Amino acid sequence: MTETRKKLAMAGCLLTLVLAILDQNIVTTAAWSIVTDLDPAHGLERLPWLVTAYALAATAALPLYGKLCDVYGAKIVYMGAVGLFVAGSLLCGAAADMTWLIAARAVQGLGGGGLMSVTLVVFAHLVPPQQRAGSAGAGGVLAGLGMVAGPLLGGLLAEHLGWRWIFLGNLPLGLLVLLTAAGLRLSDGGLRHRIDYPGAAIFAAAATGLLLATEWGGDEHAWTSPTILTLGAVTLVLVAAFARRELTAPEPIVPLDLFRDRVMRMAVPVQFLTGFAMIGSVLFAIIYLRAARGVAAADSGLYLIPMAAGMALSGLVSGRAIGRGAPPRTFLLAGLAMSALAMLLLGLLRLDTPLWILDLDLALLGAGFGQSLGILIMLVQNSVPVDRLGVAITSIRFVQTLGISLGSAVFGLILDRVSSASLPSGAPAAVVAGVDAVFLTAAAIMLAALATAAYGWRARETVSGSS
């Protein structure tokens, strides 16, 4: 590839990451406009499926994307994922009713599952290992901007152009990405290995069962209801069947020997725990602002700006420092420690806490996440062989997604139980008690992530030293 083509391809990758990050945050702000337009009578009941259908499809497809990259090459899989996402966006924009829109969101999710993960695989091919720290820093900037820009852009589009442009706006951006991807020349794929489609199907069923249990549990159905208990039992059986399949399949969809790599053994649990705790940072800060402090919905997103700024700044600083030879371990552990401290401070919120203190806490939390999340991906990219980049990166993305889903369910249960135990239930003071319990739990989980990373790194250095 010429240097010009490489730069165009990298710009396309960055644009793909923007699409992925915005899509995670943009739909919820326009949800009410969608419901009142398509189904004002019953649309509210089906509203959660706008998010759930996308999440289920994206999560279930993740491991298959990784294997497809390793077999057929990242370029064709990358273009296929973007094309599927664009087609789903077109179907969403043309939706005539809620059923159509929910089905189209599932199609969009099938493509969206590859937007982030496969793009990271392409990045790993385009950027030499010694320069990947800078890419990790750019990822922190994009994540921070997307966190704020997504909700604001969604609200503006829904108010001034109509909610359909939230989806139709993806079309020109997606087509531009496909044009930049056409010039890619990557030295991967062509392994002529078989793909374990039965294993992928079992995995997709297990992931769907788990996500449905976390979505429905405590909301549509009680956690001890026959529906949730049956769903949980079926999911456990499917997980066991998947593990057995991976141990016996000639070409497993997720090779278990991949976890012999010490970086993978450290990164997987740390990414899961971080994803689990991360869901509390945005969602429950907004709940505190709206339910306890009376901040309007349109204004509550503005309080995320300090967190976004912290993510962007720390991502840039850590990326440049590592690129100049600073040890990644320092920034990874510091980021996890800062995140744990910020969660602890957020667990001390009160009804009369000055909002500038909340801003500082969220800025500290963003700084912690900004330097830890990108570094984990970079370490995995640099650790695994080229022919396993797809499976490794999509595995990391999957455990983070799984952690976010489980964290949402567990923290929602904690908020409900603690708030209900406070009298009167639903009063601002009760909400604050529930939010504090969520953040203190998240702080404990981040401390567990810190301990796991420190132990994993020490074991890695001990083995390296002895060899």
Side-chain angles (χ1 to χ4, degrees):
M1 283 180 67
T2 64
E3 195 63 26
T4 301
R5 281 188 173 184
K6 183 179 288 189
K7 289 181 179 179
L8 284 173
M10 291 178 64
C13 287
L14 288 173
L15 186 56
T16 309
L17 292 177
V18 169
L19 280 174
I21 293 168
L22 285 179
D23 200 72
Q24 293 174 357
N25 300 286
I26 200 172
V27 174
T28 53
T29 53
W32 183 249
S33 300
I34 293 172
V35 167
T36 54
D37 184 27
L38 293 183
D39 189 358
H42 305 288
L44 194 61
E45 303 169 7
R46 306 172 70 188
L47 184 61
W49 282 101
L50 288 181
V51 176
T52 303
Y54 183 97
L56 287 175
T59 304
L62 265 175
L64 187 58
Y65 270 118
K67 192 66 175 181
L68 289 172
C69 281
D70 293 339
V71 174
Y72 296 110
K75 174 184 174 178
I76 189 171
V77 180
Y78 173 57
M79 295 183 71
V82 175
L84 194 56
F85 178 81
V86 170
S89 298
L90 178 60
L91 291 172
C92 287
D97 53 49
M98 285 293 289
T99 301
W100 178 339
L101 181 58
I102 291 169
R105 282 286 284 169
V107 174
Q108 192 186 32
L110 287 174
L115 287 187
M116 183 77 76
S117 55
V118 180
T119 303
L120 292 173
V121 177
V122 175
F123 255 131
H125 285 284
L126 293 175
V127 182
Q130 62 271 20
Q131 298 177 16
R132 287 174 185 164
S135 299
V141 174
L142 290 175
L145 292 176
M147 184 179 298
V148 176
L152 294 179
L153 185 60
L156 288 173
L157 288 174
E159 183 176 350
H160 297 290
L161 295 178
W163 63 266
R164 295 180 188 276
W165 282 100
I166 289 176
F167 303 108
L168 296 178
N170 292 330
L171 271 59
L173 297 179
L175 293 175
L176 184 59
V177 169
L178 290 174
L179 287 175
T180 63
L184 279 171
R185 298 291 185 271
L186 305 179
S187 57
D188 68 338
L191 298 179
R192 299 295 179 261
H193 288 194
R194 288 180 294 175
I195 296 178
D196 181 23
Y197 289 108
I202 296 172
F203 176 90
T208 300
L210 181 60
L211 290 177
L212 284 176
T214 57
E215 286 286 339
W216 289 345
D219 186 11
E220 296 188 27
H221 304 279
W223 285 103
T224 55
S225 67
T227 300
I228 298 301
L229 293 177
T230 301
L231 197 55
V234 171
T235 300
L236 287 176
V237 171
L238 288 170
V239 169
F242 177 72
R244 185 175 185 277
R245 176 73 189 183
E246 296 307 280
L247 289 171
T248 58
E251 291 287 344
I253 197 76
V254 180
L256 298 184
D257 62 351
L258 184 68
F259 298 97
R260 293 175 184 170
D261 183 274
R262 295 180 185 88
V263 172
M264 282 294 294
R265 288 207 302 268
M266 174 192 69
V268 165
V270 172
Q271 193 83 336
F272 172 79
L273 292 170
T274 304
F276 196 110
M278 187 169 61
I279 186 64
S281 59
V282 177
L283 177 60
F284 292 93
I286 295 296
I287 289 175
Y288 168 79
L289 286 167
R290 296 198 61 192
R293 303 301 295 267
V295 176
D299 297 331
S300 59
L302 298 177
Y303 285 88
L304 299 179
I305 292 178
M307 183 177 178
M311 291 182 71
L313 182 61
S314 67
L316 282 176
V317 171
S318 60
R320 289 183 178 179
I322 295 171
R324 293 172 181 171
R329 174 182 183 273
T330 301
F331 290 97
L332 175 62
L333 298 182
L336 294 173
M338 291 167 65
S339 301
L341 176 60
M343 292 287 192
L344 177 62
L345 294 174
L346 287 166
L348 304 178
L349 291 173
R350 298 292 181 266
L351 268 176
D352 57 351
T353 299
L355 291 179
W356 63 266
I357 292 181
L358 175 65
D359 290 338
L360 290 178
D361 293 345
L362 290 175
L364 178 64
L365 185 62
F369 281 139
Q371 59 188 308
S372 57
L373 293 177
I375 291 174
L376 279 172
I377 295 291
M378 180 199 71
L379 290 171
V380 170
Q381 288 175 334
N382 292 347
S383 176
V384 301
V386 173
D387 62 349
R388 289 195 165 186
L389 268 174
V391 170
I393 292 177
T394 51
S395 296
I396 290 295
R397 287 284 303 149
F398 171 73
V399 296
Q400 183 185 31
T401 303
L402 183 62
I404 290 173
S405 298
L406 292 177
S408 177
V410 171
F411 288 152
L413 181 62
I414 291 173
L415 178 69
D416 179 64
R417 293 290 173 85
V418 174
S419 297
S420 298
S422 304
L423 296 177
S425 177
V431 174
V432 171
V435 169
D436 284 349
V438 166
F439 280 123
L440 291 175
T441 305
I445 293 170
M446 288 306 303
L447 286 175
L450 174 62
T452 302
Y455 176 79
W457 207 284
R458 181 178 302 174
R460 176 173 176 265
E461 290 179 341
T462 299
V463 173
S464 299
S466 61
S467 59

